[in-house]
Amino acid sequence: MPSGHPAFAKSGSEATGGIETRRCAFSAALMAIGKRPLAMVLYDPAAAAERQRAAKRARLATASISADAGGAMVPYSTDVEPINAVPLSAVPPRPLWAPAPPVREEPPCLRNHILPELRLRADLPVHYIAKKTVTGTDLDGHQNRFRIPTDGVLRNLRPILTIDELADANLLKDPAPRPRRHPEPEPVPEIGHAAGNVGEQEGKKKKKKMQGRAHGGLAVKLVDLDAGASWELRLSRWDSSHGTVVKGEGYLDFIRRCRFKKSDVVDIWAFKQGAFRHFGVTMCDESPLHLLIVKRDDQKHGCRFCHAA
């Protein structure tokens, strides 16, 4: 039959109608599901609490079964002593600042004998500088100097000096760190040189000794309870080792009169007097810096005035 026969047209229309029928039925089912009424649920607090208690009983029962089956248990003993702990309220608070250093007693006979002998006021402030152990170089005649500990100079001596005095003693500025020196490579000798040239090359290796910067230093006098005061010496800081020393003519004579020995422990004190004028009248003159050296652990202090009395 030809495709345009009425039988073919009828079967096609029936197939199209069946598809449309199924499509409509599926759409109706979806609409029925979407329009289904929701069930109202009421919250009962008593029932909710009962369910929580039931769940807790179930968890406890499960835990006890696991423990009976060989689970790990925490050991407990009644014989253990209680921890001896201090409550936080009983702990004293920590101080917010560092404790003050202990106050050192002034050397004996300082204000009764030493200051009047030096023609200084008896009420001068005396400052503790440092503790020092006398070394062999302090007593060596070739060295001819007395070294003061650097920590005492920075902490205690510099604050009592004026700007001009700091400049004279080379203490005004902190020293720059010394540069690290790298060894220079040795020159390789050329082959064929005569043996006499070897001595010339060794002579070239010797370097000239570096000379330090010349500075006069701050006028200072060393004082001992027994030896009295020294001649006017000079206090300065070396540029090479950054050590602060007292040196000058008359130092060896003073150190011999002090009768110090190697490994003696001494205390260093400092004092000076400023000029004072009252209505144009000079009441007291300015004095150089004095450094008093007192030997420690001396049963009898070596004041010569007390011995003379």
Side-chain angles (χ1 to χ4, degrees), residues 118-130:
L118 297 173
R119 297 182 180 181
L120 302 176
R121 300 196 328 264
D123 59 346
L124 284 181
V126 180
H127 308 274
Y128 179 78
I129 302 301

Side-chain angles (χ1 to χ4, degrees), residues 153-167:
V153 172
L154 298 179
R155 291 177 178 271
N156 303 324
L157 183 59
R158 284 212 306 187
I160 67 174
L161 299 179
T162 63
I163 296 180
D164 294 336
E165 292 171 340
L166 291 172

